[in-house]
Amino acid sequence: MALDDEKSVSRAQLMERAQGGDREAFHSLFKEVGPLITRFLRRRRSDNTEIEDICQDAMIAVYKSRHTYQPERPFEPWLFAIVRKVSAEHFRRERQRLGFLIQVDELPEICLKAGSSQDLELREAMEQLSPGQMEALSLTKVIGLSIEEAARRTGTSVGAMKVRVHRAYESLKRALLS
């Protein structure tokens, strides 16, 4: 039996145990398939934050769909069918969200008061945020939506929205305190 076949059989056995309620088996399975999912997504996406979000959503979908796995069938096709579906849904939501954005030829100038180095530092720190992080901060802190409302508006999960807001905070904190 080839090494890949052995790994596939092992993953199938872990999933079967996870279906039976074995949390440790599910944890082991996730540790093993996480890098597979990430590699799969890297071939299709370039934004690391987006890849992490999709991977997290895919893991949740695998957990919720575990009852649909048939242990006598190969595990990987089932897994990657879920990952493809989650990725396509994420892409559809992103395309829909971007359809609401207004495109302009030039970005507006931001006026800073003379000697306002803190404003400049904040602006530079904000420019380092990913589009998803910027959107999460704008919706929750500028507009004042709850995490749940922001998640609904962007078509993402509450967990993914919490992660985006947290990562935005951490990124700003690192940039402003360094």
Side-chain angles (χ1 to χ4, degrees), residues 48-112:
N48 284 334
T49 303
E50 183 182 25
I51 290 170
E52 289 174 13
D53 289 346
I54 296 170
C55 188
Q56 180 183 22
D57 288 346
M59 294 286 216
I60 291 168
V62 167
Y63 180 78
K64 288 179 176 179
S65 301
R66 67 189 180 279
H67 67 281
T68 65
Y69 175 68
Q70 299 169 355
E72 65 277 359
R73 301 194 63 152
F75 175 74
E76 288 76 8
W78 177 83
L79 172 71
F80 288 113
I82 293 172
V83 174
R84 278 190 298 278
K85 183 176 186 230
V86 168
S87 181
E89 181 65 22
H90 180 85
F91 181 69
R92 185 195 61 76
R93 283 190 315 256
E94 187 69 13
R95 196 175 60 229
Q96 184 180 30
R97 184 185 67 79
L98 290 175
F100 292 113
L101 297 179
I102 299 170
Q103 296 208 0
V104 293
D105 293 330
E106 280 185 41
L107 291 175
E109 291 280 329
I110 296 177
C111 295
L112 297 176

Side-chain angles (χ1 to χ4, degrees), residues 18-159:
Q19 286 177 314
D22 186 339
R23 290 180 150 202
E24 191 173 309
F26 207 78
H27 181 71
S28 296
L29 180 66
F30 269 23
K31 283 176 70 176
E32 189 170 327
V33 299
L36 291 176
I37 294 171
T38 301
R39 276 195 304 274
F40 178 83
L41 294 171
R42 275 196 207 295
R43 286 186 235 130
R44 289 155 179 78
R45 304 272 195 262
S46 60
D47 181 2
N48 284 334
T49 303
E50 183 182 25
I51 290 170
E52 289 174 13
D53 289 346
I54 296 170
C55 188
Q56 180 183 22
D57 288 346
M59 294 286 216
I60 291 168
V62 167
Y63 180 78
K64 288 179 176 179
S65 301
R66 67 189 180 279
H67 67 281
T68 65
Y69 175 68
Q70 299 169 355
E72 65 277 359
R73 301 194 63 152
F75 175 74
E76 288 76 8
W78 177 83
L79 172 71
F80 288 113
I82 293 172
V83 174
R84 278 190 298 278
K85 183 176 186 230
V86 168
S87 181
E89 181 65 22
H90 180 85
F91 181 69
R92 185 195 61 76
R93 283 190 315 256
E94 187 69 13
R95 196 175 60 229
Q96 184 180 30
R97 184 185 67 79
L98 290 175
F100 292 113
L101 297 179
I102 299 170
Q103 296 208 0
V104 293
D105 293 330
E106 280 185 41
L107 291 175
E109 291 280 329
I110 296 177
C111 295
L112 297 176
K113 295 177 185 170
S116 180
S117 65
Q118 288 178 334
D119 289 343
L120 183 58
E121 288 176 25
L122 179 59
R123 180 177 179 195
E124 289 173 350
M126 296 287 282
E127 288 173 352
Q128 299 303 312
L129 298 177
S130 74
Q133 292 169 343
M134 180 67 85
E135 178 183 47
L137 275 182
S138 296
L139 291 173
T140 58
K141 301 306 172 194
V142 176
I143 296 175
L145 298 179
S146 70
I147 294 287
E148 292 79 13
E149 292 168 324
R152 215 172 309 119
R153 184 175 284 189
T154 60
T156 188
S157 69
V158 171

